[in-house]
Every structure is written in structure tokens, then in C-alpha cells.
Amino acid sequence: MNFPKSILRAIFASILLLAPAALLAQTNCEEGAGPLNTAPPQGITTQEIIQQFAAKEELFREARNNYAYTQDITVQTLDGNTVDGEYRLVQDITYNDKGERIENVTFAPQSTLVRVGLGRDDFDDIRRVMAFVMTTSELAKYNLLYVGQQQQDEIQTYVFDVAPKTLEKGQRYFQGRIWVDQRDKMIVKNCGKSVPETTVANSKKKKNVEENLTPKFVTYREQIDGQFWFPTYIRADDTLHFSNQDVHIREVIKLTNYKRFGVRTKITYTGEAKDRPKEEKKP
């Protein structure tokens, strides 16, 4: 979150779709989770688990570039329980044959956000950090600590705390907790923050500092086409403590309508009925 020199301006590390004020509480990483069992895993080492799920995540990252989907973003600021500003963006996301992301805006009403604003870091966080993918190539950047086993809804998971080893200038990282499906060896949920943050206290330049704070968020995945777990719902509800005011933020991102290029996509002519999407497994 960032404030310009003239006014406070929050740059979010996440963007999420609005829910009614009474229904969405502060971000809770343990929502839907059972008791944490801190016993070591049986028949497999923690390092083997890490290597296996990182390899699966590598395959998932490649597979995701072959899927189109819809991304629906809402960001709100609240004064008590009253929404006093809102940003909304709906996009159809595709990838070209080089794996480059293409974003086609289908709905973008005028933003009414006043106390905060969105910047490049926020949209980068949505693309890469909030929908966190821990691939083999990413392992060298992070410290992973096994904390136990936990049932997440109906799924038995291994739980790891994740933190970047170093913070490289110009790079964004995930810091928090991940839940890995014990059977599929893939991440089904992550909860934490995007880092680094910039505050007046930790900035070397005390004058005209643009504060950059990020809300705590939780990301849920669903199994698509019976193979990979895709991020489908991201939520943040947090209060950002800027140097001269607190800002209550609510964000939701919905990622829906996943379709594989050339395999599940069907050209429909005028008068033909479109196929109904199949049910998706939910964690």
C-alpha cells in the first residue's frame, strides 16, 4: 500500500471481491481447518514432501498457461461497516503461444476509492504472490518450516511456514503458511502477506516517504479437470496502519471459468446451446 506525497495512497498486495460487511471478518488463516497435529509425517521425510510438491507445482505452472479463465476483482475501503470506496475490474485471462499473459478487460466501472489507490505492485502481487506457486525453481528463495498435519475441510494436509531468505530490490515475495494435500502433493491453500512493505519507520528517507503496506490474505484452490489445484478464491480483510491514519480494507478475487485451450474450448454458432461447466471439486 502506498501513499503519494500529497495524500495517503494504499497500494495493495492483493485484490478481492467484495462481501457484505457483516459476513466477512478479519482474515482468518485457520478458517475451515481442524486441530494441528505437530507429529512428524509417517513414511516420508519433510524434505521429500517439499521436493515432491515443488515438482508438482512446476508442472501446474506450465499447465496453467494452457488455460483461459475469468478474473473478477473488487477492492473496498470501509468506515465502520459502511463502504466508502470501491474498485472493480473483471478480465478474461489467456496466454499466447509464448506463455505471455493476455488480459482483456470486460468490466471496469469508475473507481470510487479515495483514501487508497492501486499501483503496479498490487497487480503484480495478484498475478504472482496471492496465487502463490512454490515451484522447484522457487525453493532456493525461501525457508520452509514443517509445522504439522491438519485437516482442511475434507482434505488431509501437510502444513509449512514459508518466508523469503532475502528480500531482493524490486522483487515481491510471499510470507505466511501453506497447506499441501497429502495425496496429490499440491498446495490447496495459502495464507499470509506480500512482502516487502515500506513504512516511515523502516525507510532510509524520512521525507516524502511513500508507504507501501499489504493486507493479510487467504487463497483457496479447487481441483480442475481432476488433476491440478487452481486458485479460485482469494480474500483479504485487514486494517492497514499508515503513519497518519488506519484504513480498513476488504478485497476479494474470484477466478472462474477455467477452460483448456483447444481441448475443452468449443466454438458455438448462433442458435447452439453452450455446454454447462462440469462440477469442480472444492477443498
Side-chain angles (χ1 to χ4, degrees):
M1 313 285 172
N2 176 291
F3 288 106
K5 300 175 183 177
S6 57
I7 59 172
L8 290 179
R9 179 170 165 265
I11 297 182
F12 306 144
S14 50
I15 298 180
L16 304 133
L17 201 164
L18 169 67
L23 299 180
L24 198 56
Q26 294 287 311
T27 302
N28 178 14
C29 291
E30 294 300 313
E31 184 177 359
L36 180 66
N37 176 10
T38 59
Q42 299 295 314
I44 189 172
T45 67
T46 57
Q47 191 58 37
E48 287 172 336
I49 296 171
I50 292 171
Q51 294 298 329
Q52 288 181 24
F53 84 71
K56 280 286 192 72
E57 290 283 292
E58 191 77 55
L59 294 175
F60 162 64
R61 184 178 65 175
E62 296 175 5
R64 194 184 184 196
N65 289 350
N66 295 311
Y67 278 80
Y69 60 96
T70 300
Q71 179 172 268
D72 189 339
I73 300 167
T74 301
V75 180
Q76 296 179 330
T77 56
L78 293 94
D79 182 5
N81 287 328
T82 302
V83 175
D84 61 5
E86 179 176 291
Y87 171 87
R88 183 80 188 280
L89 177 67
V90 181
Q91 301 167 296
D92 286 335
I93 309 298
T94 58
Y95 294 86
N96 62 23
D97 55 3
K98 297 180 181 179
E100 297 169 335
R101 180 183 173 106
I102 302 171
E103 301 176 350
N104 179 39
V105 176
T106 59
F107 183 64
Q110 182 68 37
S111 173
T112 59
L113 292 176
V114 176
R115 292 190 290 152
V116 300
L118 301 175
R120 185 174 62 182
D121 280 353
D122 304 298
F123 291 101
D124 286 344
D125 287 344
I126 292 170
R127 297 183 188 104
R128 301 180 180 90
V129 180
M130 299 179 77
F132 181 65
V133 180
M134 173 61 81
T135 64
T136 302
S137 58
E138 293 289 314
L139 284 180
K141 302 177 183 179
Y142 288 91
N143 290 316
L144 280 78
L145 175 65
Y146 173 81
V147 294
Q149 302 173 58
Q150 192 171 34
Q151 182 165 327
Q152 184 63 45
D153 290 335
E154 299 178 357
I155 300 171
Q156 290 294 334
T157 67
Y158 298 116
V159 187
F160 292 85
D161 283 341
V162 178
K165 293 180 179 179
T166 59
L167 299 176
E168 299 288 341
K169 185 177 180 180
Q171 299 297 313
R172 305 290 294 168
Y173 302 89
F174 172 74
Q175 182 170 309
R177 179 165 288 189
I178 61 174
W179 286 258
V180 177
D181 180 16
Q182 292 187 11
R183 185 189 65 182
D184 291 343
K185 300 297 190 300
M186 287 193 66
I187 298 173
V188 296
K189 174 184 171 182
N190 59 280
C191 186
K193 299 188 69 172
S194 299
V195 293
E197 295 182 302
T198 302
T199 66
V200 173
N202 67 20
S203 175
K204 295 179 181 179
K205 297 180 180 180
K206 302 299 181 182
K207 273 192 171 184
N208 298 324
V209 172
E210 290 191 351
E211 296 179 273
N212 186 352
L213 305 182
T214 61
K216 185 178 182 180
F217 63 86
V218 57
T219 301
Y220 296 94
R221 294 193 191 183
E222 297 179 22
Q223 195 175 51
I224 304 297
D225 290 342
Q227 186 173 8
F228 294 111
W229 291 83
F230 286 69
T232 56
Y233 184 77
I234 305 169
R235 184 181 74 209
D237 188 338
D238 204 357
T239 299
L240 305 179
H241 302 286
F242 293 98
S243 59
N244 56 351
Q245 72 167 324
D246 291 344
V247 181
H248 184 186
I249 299 296
R250 278 184 177 164
E251 309 175 4
V252 171
I253 305 171
K254 289 184 177 180
L255 305 104
T256 59
N257 302 322
Y258 281 102
K259 292 183 176 67
R260 182 186 288 272
F261 297 155
V263 177
R264 299 298 173 87
T265 302
K266 179 182 179 181
I267 298 175
T268 304
Y269 296 95
T270 304
E272 288 187 351
K274 296 181 179 180
D275 294 337
R276 295 178 63 85
K278 294 182 179 180
E279 290 289 328
E280 296 172 349
K281 297 181 181 180
K282 297 183 179 180

